[in-house]
């Protein structure tokens, strides 16, 4: 397991993480948080207090659309799906994140290179 990353260091990346989490299928809030945690080998934990305001902002900005459904434990839940604008934003933010990561890697002499 990788070391846990403090949630304050996720500032500015939360939107990207959420957009990526729902890129494959609509998910409800707790499933989004779980997907991020599991995909990061338990290194990234998104607290509800950060997750739900971000989901509402992304929905307001037209990057996610929400619909009501039933969760895996038969509870009513709001499911979030990527819109066309969300797909476009995800692509753009992934490219920006890669450029940023490579620049910091060069500075820190980590030897990371783009594929």
């Amino acid at each position: 397991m990788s070391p846990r990353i403090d949630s304050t260091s996720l500032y500015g990346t939360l939107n990207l993480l959420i957009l990526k989490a729902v890129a494959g299928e609509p998910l409800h809030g707790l499933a989004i948080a779980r997907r991020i945690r599991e995909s990061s080998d338990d290194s990234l934990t998104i607290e509800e207090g950060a997750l739900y305001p971000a989901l509402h902002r992304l929905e307001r900005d037209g990057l996610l659309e929400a619909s009501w459904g039933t969760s895996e434990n038969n509870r009513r839940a709001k499911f979030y799906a990527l819109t066309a604008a969300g797909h476009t934003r995800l692509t753009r933010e992934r490219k920006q994140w890669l450029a940023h990561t490579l620049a910091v890697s060069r500075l820190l002499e980590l030897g990371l290179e783009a594929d």
Side-chain angles (χ1 to χ4, degrees):
M1 180 186 346
S2 301
R4 287 199 178 250
I5 297 171
D6 186 332
S7 63
T8 59
S9 68
L10 296 176
Y11 182 79
T13 62
L14 183 56
N15 289 351
L16 175 60
L17 297 174
I18 291 171
L19 294 175
K20 176 59 178 157
V22 300
E25 64 181 315
L27 296 171
H28 59 82
L30 293 178
I32 293 169
R34 184 171 46 248
R35 172 147 312 153
I36 292 169
R37 188 186 74 247
E38 290 172 355
S39 297
S40 70
D41 195 24
D42 293 330
S43 294
L44 304 174
T45 301
I46 310 301
E47 303 296 329
E48 289 182 38
L51 177 65
Y52 288 102
L55 288 170
H56 295 146
R57 274 192 313 276
L58 291 167
E59 184 181 11
R60 180 198 66 214
D61 294 345
L63 303 175
L64 295 178
E65 60 186 3
S67 60
W68 288 99
T70 304
S71 70
E72 58 278 358
N73 59 2
N74 287 327
R75 293 187 181 203
R76 184 169 153 84
K78 200 173 194 182
F79 284 74
Y80 297 89
L82 218 49
T83 64
H87 279 285
T88 300
R89 177 73 61 88
L90 174 58
T91 299
R92 188 177 81 226
E93 287 196 21
R94 284 178 68 165
K95 288 177 184 175
Q96 289 173 340
W97 180 255
L98 178 59
H100 175 85
T101 302
L102 291 174
V104 172
S105 170
R106 284 190 296 275
L107 179 69
L108 297 176
E109 301 173 352
L110 298 176
L112 298 180
E113 297 296 327
D115 292 336

